[in-house]
Amino acid sequence: MKKITLTAASIALALGLVGCGEKVAQTPTVTVAPAATLQSGIALENLDQSVRAQDDFYYFVNGKWLEKTEIPADKSNYGSFTQLYDESQKAMKTVLETAAQNLGVDHTSDEYKLGAFYLSYMNESARNELGFEPLRGYLAQISAVQNKAELASLMGSLQTKGGSLPFGWYVNNDEKNSSQYALYIYQSGLGLPDRDYYLKNDDKFATIRDKYQAYVTEILSRAGIAEAEKAAAAVIALEHQIAQAQWSRVETRDATKSYNKMSVTELNSLLGEFDVNAYLAAAGVNTQELVVNQPSYLEKLAGIYAQTPIQTWQHYLAFHFVNNYAALLDKNTVDLNFAFYSTTLRGVAEQSPTWKKAVDASNEVIGEILGKIYVKEYFPPEAKARMQELVGNLIKGFEQAIDGLEWMSTETKVAAKAKLHKFTPKIGYPDKWKDYSALEIKSDDLVGNYVRHNNWAYQDMANKLGKPVDRSEWFMTPQTVNAYYNPVNNEIVFPAAILQPPFFNLAADDAVNYGAIGAVIGHELGHGFDDQGAKYDGDGNLRNWWSEADLAQFEARGKQLVAQYDGFKPFEDANVNGQLTLGENIGDLGGLTVAYKAYQIALAGKPAPVIDGYTGEQRFFMGWGQIWRRKYRDEELRNRLMTDPHSPSHYRVIGILSNMPEFYQAFDVKEGDKMYLKPQDRVKIW
């Protein structure tokens, strides 16, 4: 299903807000074991002793799990993140159902909004009866447009209510003046996951495009568009032009090339006939300058906009508006949307039960209200205290790593450590919760709830312009199983829900925790020093603090890592994109390297205990290996190879470990072993 809360996706486009994982979950209560009875934290039942650790560590640690685990019919992939999420949805359901049974409270209260929203999603009979009716007014507005001037205003209005356009916007810190907010404009507007779905000519993509044509035709037909097949062909032809003009994902992730500040007047000139002022006014945005991420795309879009008839734009807007809400309408439309976006594109056979979808939707729309309850019930103070200790040791470990770099000059080391000591860690949950008082939620109006939420979230963003930057803001809810680095705030953020096994185990010895959550902490710290994060200084400003020679060394080592990951081929005809995944791979390599140093700091010179037959060093690496267990459907994995900046789980494990001398020592890896790389071929960056 396509995401409907579009503002969240917009904010995530700010560089560095890609997390280490991808799911949202609720954590069970943790019992702290006495120090004398600490466990290994290793899932011994998952080990496959028929695979040598030196040949494929991922399968050695996870082989039995991979062998016995089936991907649930309603999922495109399944792993440690999704496992936690599955186990936790029931707890979230209890919270929501309790609120839904007590709607007699004040309608402006958090409790009412939780219950009312959940009921609005669960009432399938009402949704079936309404059908397309909740969207009719918006479709009428689209069909009433008479000229390009009206079109620009309509686009601005529709976007804040859940529509999609060939470009989008968000507000975040100005990357070259991080103490102020800036408006960013970025390319968007495709119904398929990436531009290459339109541009590649092999049979797999041709089949997907044929099915997309049928899907667009059916959506437009249900929306009341005459000659729907002809209209769909025009919409897809327009999207093909847009795809041809767009930057690749590799180009887009370049922070330097993507920062292009200009005045609204200059953007108006760039976009030709498109009236930027009318668009911004309708979107509720008041600014005289902005940052354009892909200026050459917008320049080409100007020609596309001018040459495309009004009617085609109307059909385009109608399709995308309906498509973004299709999963919330009647059963036939929900099924149609699922068949294309989940089955065709991701290989998912069955839909999740409605209550699970309702829990997901509640997290999307009113997630911090749920978060307040979540942290009270499921996040023990001991977890935050131990995480703070871990973060402290990781920062010390990173400082040691910087000091030990033979390729970096003293001058650049001083600047790197200055940035390191300006990192702000956020653990568990926000100090200041989001205020939902202006958001109206109704128990009988699901689409309206989403429309009002989208509008509320966009206006909340627009209202930041001209105000001091709020560095307390979180971009993930506490119940999210993930973590992120935000370069413009130079902060690392660890929501409460990731602080549970297998990532973080209060009942386990330090080794597995440093190999798991310690490496995740190190990964997020590493994003501050990856190929893009390293372009920002300690105050979050896009500024070069490198010497020319050091930067050349850094980039050369990155190219070596790109080449390694380009060599991983999940399919005969498809490999990992080492350039697209470079930032995450640097984060993994630096993160695990630094986590190992932090583990040694935690040992304070004492030998690590042998538990379950494994040394502390071995359990450290096993902790890393087991958090990435995951199975993918082929369709999902192919999609990720094109769109995901993270490498598939198998290669996140073996690709990093093959570069670490400490792994060779812990498991006695020798020449002839499949994971062996010659010392000169191993990449060391941090």
Side-chain angles (χ1 to χ4, degrees), residues 252-406:
T252 294
R253 66 178 297 271
D254 189 318
T256 306
K257 291 181 180 177
S258 294
Y259 186 93
N260 304 280
K261 183 170 278 191
M262 59 182 67
S263 68
V264 172
T265 301
E266 289 171 320
L267 181 60
N268 249 323
S269 177
L270 190 69
L271 277 171
E273 286 186 23
F274 186 86
D275 189 339
V276 176
N277 286 307
Y279 162 78
L280 291 175
V285 176
N286 181 17
T287 187
Q288 296 305 310
E289 62 178 10
L290 34 72
V291 178
V292 175
N293 286 152
Q294 300 94 4
S296 65
Y297 163 73
L298 291 184
E299 189 173 17
K300 293 174 183 176
L301 180 63
I304 297 170
Y305 181 77
Q307 295 161 15
T308 302
I310 287 282
Q311 187 178 58
T312 300
W313 281 116
Q314 289 172 317
H315 294 156
Y316 171 90
L317 293 174
F319 165 70
H320 280 282
F321 198 83
V322 173
N323 190 41
N324 287 341
Y325 284 97
L328 308 178
L329 300 175
D330 59 281
K331 184 179 185 303
N332 288 337
T333 307
V334 171
D335 291 348
L336 180 70
N337 179 263
F338 176 85
F340 181 71
Y341 281 103
S342 294
T343 304
T344 297
L345 292 182
R346 301 169 64 215
V348 182
E350 295 179 8
Q351 296 187 48
S352 297
T354 303
W355 72 263
K356 288 189 176 184
K357 296 180 188 177
V359 169
D360 294 349
S362 301
N363 276 324
E364 289 174 359
V365 173
I366 46 177
E368 283 201 18
I369 298 179
L370 276 171
K372 286 183 187 180
I373 300 171
Y374 173 84
V375 295
K376 286 179 182 177
E377 297 185 17
Y378 300 104
F379 187 57
E382 298 93 338
K384 188 163 187 172
R386 195 159 170 194
M387 269 294 289
Q388 288 169 331
E389 179 184 348
L390 278 161
V391 170
N393 283 341
L394 261 294
I395 289 175
K396 291 176 186 175
F398 216 119
E399 186 169 21
Q400 284 185 7
I402 292 169
D403 283 335
L405 293 176
E406 73 284 352

Side-chain angles (χ1 to χ4, degrees), residues 1-2 132 191-192 207-223 228 232 236 239 319-327 329 332-342 344-345:
M1 155 175 128
K2 289 192 73 181
F132 268 64
L192 292 173
T207 299
I208 288 172
R209 288 193 293 269
D210 287 343
K211 291 185 177 181
Y212 184 53
Q213 166 84 40
Y215 173 73
V216 178
T217 299
E218 183 62 24
I219 288 290
L220 289 176
S221 176
R222 293 185 186 199
I236 294 172
E239 290 187 8
F319 165 70
H320 280 282
F321 198 83
V322 173
N323 190 41
N324 287 341
Y325 284 97
L329 300 175
N332 288 337
T333 307
V334 171
D335 291 348
L336 180 70
N337 179 263
F338 176 85
F340 181 71
Y341 281 103
S342 294
T344 297
L345 292 182

Side-chain angles (χ1 to χ4, degrees), residues 76-94:
S76 64
N77 66 97
Y78 198 65
S80 54
F81 291 90
T82 39
Q83 225 171 349
L84 292 176
Y85 185 47
D86 269 0
E87 294 166 359
S88 69
Q89 277 184 315
K90 295 173 185 176
M92 301 290 281
K93 179 186 177 187
T94 299

